[in-house]
Amino acid sequence: MKNSSEDLATIADVEKLVAAFYAQAMEDELIGLFFTKAVPLKLEEHLPKIVKFWSTILLDTNDYRDNPMLKHIALSQKMKIQESHMTRWLSLWKSTIDNLYEGPKADLAKSRSEQIGILMLRKIRMSEAF
Ligand code: HEM
């Protein structure tokens, strides 16, 4: 459901975005198995962490303290994360944002995902060298 082109402004907005993204990502033919097979996620435990991660970036809530890079390095050891997977993750994330929100925070959510995704893939590849 489109938010009449409003920007992300509250934690409830981030919750809605994250839920919409995971609903699609888990069903995705290219990346779905990461969430259902490599690490079968319990969404009621996982989504609050993702909401904290994005709220920290977008709304300065400053309540995410974990290390997503290490989690994805471990994930890629179970099921290798290829560039095509990252490209799909990022395009799904960005299209989910575009379907729901519009404005500076929506732009920030897209640009930060791109930066983090590129860095993540680089760190994963570096970790494989050892
Ligand atoms: C191919 C791309 C990606 C895949 C398949 C993927 C998949 C996953 C999976 C399966 C988990 C759960 C890991 C676990 O609990 O052990 C996870 C956690 C997470 N992912 Fe990703 N991810 C991808 C890219 C990204 C990107 C680009 C971001 C951020 C921009 C991101 C942010 C996070 C965060 C914040 C967590 C939670 C880590 C924690 O438990 O604190 N992911 N991801």
Side-chain angles (χ1 to χ4, degrees), residues 30-98:
L30 196 60
I31 61 171
L33 289 180
F34 286 98
F35 307 97
T36 57
K37 191 154 180 278
V39 180
L41 289 178
K42 288 195 188 122
L43 284 186
E44 68 277 14
E45 288 168 19
H46 183 68
L47 293 192
K49 288 191 224 166
I50 305 296
V51 168
K52 283 183 178 171
F53 174 80
W54 283 108
S55 303
T56 293
I57 291 174
L58 301 172
L59 306 174
D60 290 322
T61 52
N62 205 21
D63 55 355
Y64 180 80
R65 303 247 176 263
D66 226 312
N67 185 332
M69 295 299 166
L70 291 180
K71 292 259 161 115
H72 293 82
I73 286 170
L75 172 61
S76 190
Q77 282 162 0
K78 290 188 196 159
M79 191 180 277
K80 186 167 176 171
I81 299 180
Q82 310 278 4
E83 195 170 343
S84 59
H85 299 130
M86 187 57 76
T87 303
R88 175 65 63 90
W89 192 105
L90 290 169
S91 75
L92 259 185
W93 176 248
K94 288 186 270 186
S95 65
T96 309
I97 294 169
D98 286 338

